[in-house]
Amino acid sequence: MASKNSKTATRLAHGGRTSNDHYGFINTPVYRGSTVLFENTAALKKRDARYTYGIHATPTTDSLTDLITELEGGAGTVLAPSGMASITTALLALVEAGDHVLITDSVYRPTRRFADKVLAALGVEIEYYDPLIGAEISHLFKENTRVLFLETPGSQTMEMQDIPALVTAAKAHKGRREIYTIVDNTWATALFFRALDFGVDITLQAGTKYIGGHSDIMLGATTANERTWPLLSRTHTALGMCPGTEEVFLGLRGIRTMEVRLRQHMASALLIAAWLRERPEVSEVLHPGLPGGPGHDIWLRDFKGSCGLFSIIFEPVNEACVDAFLDTLDLFGLGYSWGGFESLAIPFDPSTYRSATEWVGKGPAVRFHIGLEDPDDLIEDLDSGFSSLARCRDGKN
Ligand SMILES: *Cc1c(COP(=O)(O)O)cnc(C)c1O
């Protein structure tokens, strides 16, 4: 058993294990099931059994949620069938009609869609704010502000938010009700940023990414502190949010090796980001872990590490030449999501959907996920991509 003082890698290896309940086998098996039988009517009527119905919890889900709660230092964790479902659960747990919700303009785009389409239709007032606003956020608070939604660094554009300043402002506000803070912590995970220690109320992550780690599951995990846990737990049950048992098992399998994987993602991504920064075709590297890069000071102050995900902005160049760059890449796949063992690249353009701030990239932008391949091979691959870009730019084909 991991002790109170155990380091993260030890907790990941030992947390959530209940081997004695499984004949000594190390891993909690996949409990498949809907109905749970009670011994007699008295037991059924007492309603105090840990397991009552498949939707609520099984020993398999408990193993994963116990481990995540321990890592996050929270009051409890609930699972969802995707990271996006974790986001909707957290928001629905805290808001009601008439509330005002502030969301960072750098937010994961589907979160924006949920807020604009679903929350707004339910009578919730949605407002976006500059991710770099810091303590000035207090000027946006209203009488009915209920949730301050954070994501750091921001999806694709990688702005580091000043979480301590934002949380302090939220706690100081005297409105109709207290303001709760939610952070989408998918980039850093609990390993690199323990959000609840910074006063955030609910932290969530797409388990699809680094918990799974192998691009073979969809999963989400949401962890609450004491004051929001009753709300989160109640809403999670009411919504019927239960991931498939196989996915939970794969989440458990993945999370055991998360620390060692993340350390490699971090090292390779920093190496490649530094290499990219020296390229004449690149105008800016958006990686908060990179010394001198945007957000690095805040990252250094608050975070313990960085992952495999960062972006670059090219020098002004025809978009077709960026396509040529991407199409030449052999080891980098073109596809959505990230967090697996493989490297990925995706072009993006936030100027089309930002609303509180204007995105003015000097040139086209691409987001990379650096996987667990050898970074030398990845650099060679990128190098051939730049050759294609140059040929395209110079009109050679
Ligand atoms: C991928 C992602 C999500 C959503 O996770 P899914 O499991 O794909 O639904 C949410 N937030 C961020 C920052 C992500 O990168």
Side-chain angles (χ1 to χ4, degrees):
M1 278 273 285
S3 77
K4 260 200 149 15
N5 301 322
S6 294
K7 299 244 177 9
T8 309
T10 311
R11 289 179 187 282
L12 286 171
H14 289 263
R17 276 167 45 182
T18 53
S19 306
N20 291 344
D21 298 339
H22 314 291
Y23 304 97
F25 282 93
I26 289 168
N27 294 297
T28 310
V30 178
Y31 276 79
R32 298 186 192 283
S34 48
T35 301
V36 178
L37 297 177
F38 297 86
E39 247 170 63
N40 50 41
T41 11
L44 187 142
K45 286 181 176 167
K46 233 173 131 199
R47 307 183 73 92
D48 66 346
R50 174 63 194 127
Y51 303 113
T52 54
Y53 189 46
I55 202 170
H56 303 310
T58 71
T60 318
T61 61
D62 271 356
S63 280
L64 185 55
T65 54
D66 286 353
L67 173 51
I68 295 174
T69 300
E70 184 189 329
L71 284 177
E72 299 277 9
T77 298
V78 290
L79 301 176
S82 66
M84 195 54 224
S86 286
I87 293 166
T88 62
T89 307
L91 280 164
L92 289 170
L94 302 185
V95 302
E96 57 189 46
D99 285 345
H100 173 239
V101 171
L102 281 161
I103 300 177
T104 175
D105 209 24
S106 56
V107 80
Y108 178 63
R109 200 174 171 188
T111 304
R112 182 184 287 267
R113 190 190 311 140
F114 173 73
D116 293 347
K117 300 283 179 248
V118 181
L119 286 184
L122 295 175
V124 177
E125 191 188 340
I126 306 295
E127 183 177 349
Y128 294 92
Y129 65 90
D130 179 347
L132 303 178
I133 196 168
E136 299 295 305
I137 190 78
S138 55
H139 300 305
L140 300 182
F141 290 155
K142 300 184 183 184
E143 182 62 18
N144 58 337
T145 305
R146 182 56 160 171
V147 165
L148 175 59
F149 194 97
L150 319 159
E151 184 179 318
T152 186
S155 265
Q156 301 180 327
T157 46
M158 300 289 154
E159 296 92 340
M160 283 298 291
Q161 296 202 262
D162 189 340
I163 303 271
L166 292 160
V167 166
T168 302
K171 287 193 198 296
H173 182 66
K174 298 275 173 282
R176 194 162 41 134
R177 294 184 297 165
E178 45 207 341
I179 298 177
Y180 291 134
T181 45
I182 302 174
V183 67
D184 182 335
N185 197 28
T186 301
W187 190 88
T189 81
L191 274 52
F192 294 153
F193 182 60
R194 291 237 309 188
L196 303 183
D197 292 349
F198 285 75
V200 171
D201 291 297
I202 290 185
T203 179
L204 60 90
Q205 63 184 309
T208 308
K209 312 286 167 57
Y210 286 124
I211 290 180
H214 294 75
S215 308
D216 53 3
I217 59 167
M218 302 296 303
L219 190 68
T222 314
T223 305
N225 61 7
E226 292 290 344
R227 74 170 177 161
T228 51
W229 173 242
L231 294 167
L232 180 67
S233 167
R234 187 183 68 185
T235 304
H236 179 260
T237 302
L239 288 171
M241 280 286 171
C242 78
T245 50
E246 195 73 34
E247 319 302 298
V248 178
F249 180 83
L250 287 171
L252 266 168
R253 154 167 286 217
I255 203 169
R256 302 289 181 202
T257 58
M258 191 165 150
E259 210 250 5
V260 66
R261 283 187 286 110
L262 269 174
R263 253 190 289 143
Q264 188 59 50
H265 284 294
M266 167 162 64
S268 297
L270 283 169
L271 190 81
I272 291 170
W275 181 81
L276 284 165
R277 189 156 64 179
E278 300 306 316
R279 295 290 312 200
E281 303 89 343
V282 175
S283 119
E284 202 175 356
V285 175
L286 308 175
H287 186 322
L290 198 61
H296 184 66
D297 292 350
I298 290 181
W299 175 85
L300 206 57
R301 185 191 67 192
D302 298 343
F303 280 36
K304 294 203 207 76
S306 55
C307 70
L309 195 79
F310 66 91
S311 301
I312 62 168
I313 302 173
F314 284 90
E315 288 290 342
V317 68
N318 197 321
E319 237 176 73
C321 299
V322 173
D323 293 351
F325 167 87
L326 292 169
D327 286 336
T328 302
L329 299 180
D330 184 34
L331 297 177
F332 285 82
L334 304 179
Y336 294 102
S337 203
W338 48 277
F341 52 81
E342 81 293 1
S343 291
L344 297 167
I346 201 109
F348 67 92
D349 178 14
S351 64
T352 56
Y353 53 86
R354 288 248 171 167
S355 56
T357 52
E358 201 188 342
W359 172 257
V360 274
K362 200 171 166 197
V366 165
R367 187 189 72 184
F368 293 105
H369 178 255
I370 305 303
L372 300 176
E373 302 94 335
D374 191 295
D376 290 345
D377 292 335
L378 295 174
I379 285 177
E380 201 180 307
D381 202 30
L382 291 167
D383 201 38
S384 59
F386 281 122
S387 300
S388 295
L389 182 137
R391 272 197 303 278
C392 167
R393 187 192 53 206
D394 303 341
K396 298 236 170 76
N397 59 6

